Each structure stands twice: as C-alpha cells, then as structure tokens.
Amino acid sequence: MAADSKAGRRSNRIKRTAGEWVFDIFNVTLFVIIALIMLLPFWNVIAISLTGNAEFMRRPFIIFPEAPTLEAYKYIFGSPLFPRAYGITFLVTVCGTALSVLVTSMLAYGLSKPRMRGYRFFMIYLLITMFFSGGLIPSYYNMTKTLNLSNNLLALILPGAVSVFNFIIIRSFFRQLPPSLEESAKIDGANEFTILFRIIYPLSIPTLATIAMFVAVGLWNSWFGAQLYMRDERLYTLQLIIRNYIVRSTKPAEMTRVEGMRDAAGRILQFNETGLKMACAVASTVPMLLIYPFIQKYFEKGVTLGAVKG
C-alpha cells in the first residue's frame, strides 16, 4: 500500500523541462544580483559609519573596514541630544499612529454604510480634501494662531489624525465583511461600539496593521512639521536633527560640546565627519528595520486585501 502511494505521488509530480530549470536559475540569479545592488549602498553607509578618519581619507568607498570603530556612535550619543530626540520621535510616532488608525478606522466604519444620513455629503467632502489642500500658510496659521500649538508636540500628531487614502482602504475592507455579523450582534444586544471593537477590529487586524505600518514610517521619517512648529532645539525630532546635520552641515550645539574626546592613550580623536553623518543615518533607520519583522505576517496579508481572487 505504501509503495503504491509513493508511486502515485511520483506520477503526480509535474516533470520540468531543461528550459524551465534554466529559466528558474536565471530568475533567481537575477533577483539575487538586484537584491545585492539594492543592499550595497546601505551596507556602504554602515561601513563608513564604522570607519576611522585616517582610513576614510585613504579610501572613501568602503565595504569592509580594516579597523572597525564605534567612535562615531559614541560621539553622537555622547550628549543627551540623540536619546532625547529618539524619545520625542518615538512618542510622536506611537501616539500619532494610534490616533490616526483609531480615528480613520472609526470614520471608515461609519461611512461603510451607505444608508447613513449624510453619507453622500461626507464622502464628497472627504474626497475633496484628498485632492485639494488648504495650503501651507493656512495650515501654519491654524496650528500656531488658532490652536496655539507652537513648540507643542500635538502640532506633529494632530494633522495626521485622518488620512483619506487610508480611510478608503479601510472602508473597502469593512464593506467586504458580511452584514450578518453585525445583525447577529445587534440581536444579542450589542451596540455600535461593541460591534466595532469586539467584532470588526479583530477581523481587521491585517488591514489595520498595514495601515499602522504606513503611518508609523511616515511619522518616523517626518521632519518638516518639526521645522515649522518647533522653535526649541530640545523639541526637535530625530529626523530634523539628522537632516540639518547631513543636508545643511549644521551640527547641533549639544554635539559640539562633546568635541575633544580622547582615546585610551589620551590622544584627541579626529572624527570622520562623513562617518558621523552615516552613523546618524544608521541610527535613524535601525528602529524601523527592527519593528518590521514583528508585523511582517500582517503586512503581507494586508497589502493583498481587495485583490482580485481567482
């Protein structure tokens, strides 16, 4: 019996031709080369951040440092500037993502029902704001004069509370859910909030996780809002500090104070300025790279929701 089953499995296998094998090998080789080309610049950034000044002056393009050093990282974290900027950016990212996902999903749940009063008006209103904005000057005046949020982290959180693009994605998913779920819950006495938080949200985790990832990456990488509304350098986000340093070569005052560091032999360290900038870039990139593996399974499923099914 076992021999017959093995023979049956062998007979069910699709025989592959030599051309198919060549095609697969070519595809794998091609995509490995493309992946290496994409990773090479990032690896070069990491390598330069670990390179001393003398070695970098001798050969600017570095793949493997001859004498790796962490002096650039010790330098940028040698003052409270970077830890504080990390904390501010983390706070803005977490609070802004939670607020955006909550408000946008609640709006999408309400407008996923065409029978709602004023449905057409609200949909047109939201779509207009997606294609036309009020402009930078009215937004700045609104945040600084009307809401008085200068030097306030709420100025970095509130503007992204509702994303119309994310609203459309979440609403499309909500409309795919069978109405019988809500009807049975209402028969059991559940109100709208109970249905949303205990039935709809658990079924929408892939979609919400994908949207949360998009919002979090956008908030983490944002620097323009901090430049507009923050006047105190102590409230600068990580990306604004790095942007000023890398693009404008404006070194923060608290980084300048720790210059003159000495090595174990008592010699003043000659820092590689390019290495310092690359270390800043690496320090701002690593947190997002560490978070992504934990939501990868939701992300892969979420980005395919709404696709045409065979």
Side-chain angles (χ1 to χ4, degrees), residues 243-307:
R243 185 258 177 190
N244 290 342
Y245 183 32
I246 294 179
V247 178
R248 299 169 55 186
S249 296
T250 304
K251 187 177 294 186
E254 292 189 23
M255 284 180 64
T256 307
R257 295 192 191 105
V258 299
E259 290 185 346
M261 292 176 59
R262 298 177 180 271
D263 58 15
R267 295 170 298 187
I268 296 178
L269 295 172
Q270 299 296 325
F271 289 105
N272 172 16
E273 283 291 334
T274 304
L276 292 176
K277 295 178 180 180
M278 298 302 102
C280 292
V282 173
S284 66
T285 305
V286 167
M288 287 293 106
L289 295 179
L290 294 178
I291 292 174
Y292 177 75
F294 294 99
I295 64 171
Q296 181 179 5
K297 61 179 180 179
Y298 300 118
F299 185 80
E300 290 176 350
K301 184 177 180 181
V303 295
T304 59
L305 291 172

Side-chain angles (χ1 to χ4, degrees), residues 108 111-112 119 123 166-175:
L111 290 177
S112 64
Y119 169 83
M123 286 298 300
N166 294 339
F167 154 78
I168 293 174
I169 295 176
I170 300 175
R171 174 179 170 271
S172 299
F173 176 79
F174 285 168
R175 296 193 66 177

Side-chain angles (χ1 to χ4, degrees), residues 91-93 95-101 103-104 139 142-144 146-150 152-163 215 219 225 229-230:
L91 177 65
V92 170
T93 300
C95 295
T97 301
L99 179 66
S100 180
V101 173
V103 175
T104 304
S139 299
N142 185 43
M143 298 300 294
T144 57
T146 306
L147 299 178
N148 194 24
L149 291 180
S150 293
N152 193 319
L153 294 182
L154 287 176
L156 309 180
I157 297 174
L158 293 181
V162 176
S163 169
V215 176
L219 288 171
Y229 305 122
M230 301 298 118

Side-chain angles (χ1 to χ4, degrees), residues 1 22 77 90 102 128 148 160 179 212 223 251 258 272 289 296:
M1 183 68 70
V22 171
F77 288 103
F90 181 80
L102 178 64
I128 289 176
N148 194 24
W223 58 269
K251 187 177 294 186
V258 299
N272 172 16
L289 295 179
Q296 181 179 5

Side-chain angles (χ1 to χ4, degrees), residues 11-219:
S11 63
N12 290 332
R13 292 176 183 171
I14 300 176
K15 293 182 179 180
R16 308 186 57 149
T17 64
E20 291 175 333
W21 280 107
V22 171
F23 179 77
D24 289 345
I25 293 173
F26 173 79
N27 274 346
V28 172
T29 304
L30 175 63
F31 284 107
V32 167
I33 294 174
I34 293 175
L36 291 175
I37 292 174
M38 296 174 65
L39 290 174
L40 184 61
F42 184 65
W43 179 257
N44 180 239
V45 168
I46 297 176
I48 293 176
S49 71
L50 298 173
T51 303
N53 185 60
E55 183 180 351
F56 180 75
M57 295 298 292
R58 189 170 67 254
R59 54 187 192 108
F61 185 79
I62 299 170
I63 300 299
F64 297 102
E66 295 175 357
T69 175
L70 294 175
E71 297 302 333
Y73 294 94
K74 292 179 182 178
Y75 177 83
I76 64 175
F77 288 103
S79 72
L81 176 68
F82 267 79
R84 183 175 62 241
Y86 259 109
I88 291 173
T89 306
F90 181 80
L91 177 65
V92 170
T93 300
V94 171
C95 295
T97 301
L99 179 66
S100 180
V101 173
L102 178 64
V103 175
T104 304
S105 61
M106 293 179 71
L107 178 64
Y109 176 69
L111 290 177
S112 64
K113 302 172 177 58
R115 66 179 181 275
M116 190 189 74
R117 182 177 299 178
Y119 169 83
R120 184 177 180 82
F121 167 78
F122 288 115
M123 286 298 300
I124 294 175
Y125 176 81
L126 289 170
L127 290 176
I128 289 176
T129 63
M130 181 177 177
F131 295 106
F132 305 98
S133 66
L136 179 60
I137 295 177
S139 299
Y140 179 81
Y141 186 87
N142 185 43
M143 298 300 294
T144 57
K145 302 298 182 182
T146 306
L147 299 178
N148 194 24
L149 291 180
S150 293
N151 272 337
N152 193 319
L153 294 182
L154 287 176
L156 309 180
I157 297 174
L158 293 181
V162 176
S163 169
V164 179
F165 180 78
N166 294 339
F167 154 78
I168 293 174
I169 295 176
I170 300 175
R171 174 179 170 271
S172 299
F173 176 79
F174 285 168
R175 296 193 66 177
Q176 294 178 8
L177 297 177
S180 57
L181 291 173
E182 298 183 37
E183 294 170 359
S184 60
K186 289 180 180 178
I187 292 174
D188 292 335
N191 57 29
E192 295 291 344
F193 285 100
T194 302
I195 295 173
L196 178 62
F197 285 97
R198 302 190 64 178
I199 298 177
I200 303 299
Y201 277 171
L203 295 174
S204 309
I205 289 178
T207 301
L208 298 180
T210 303
I211 297 301
M213 183 66 182
F214 290 154
V215 176
V217 171
L219 288 171

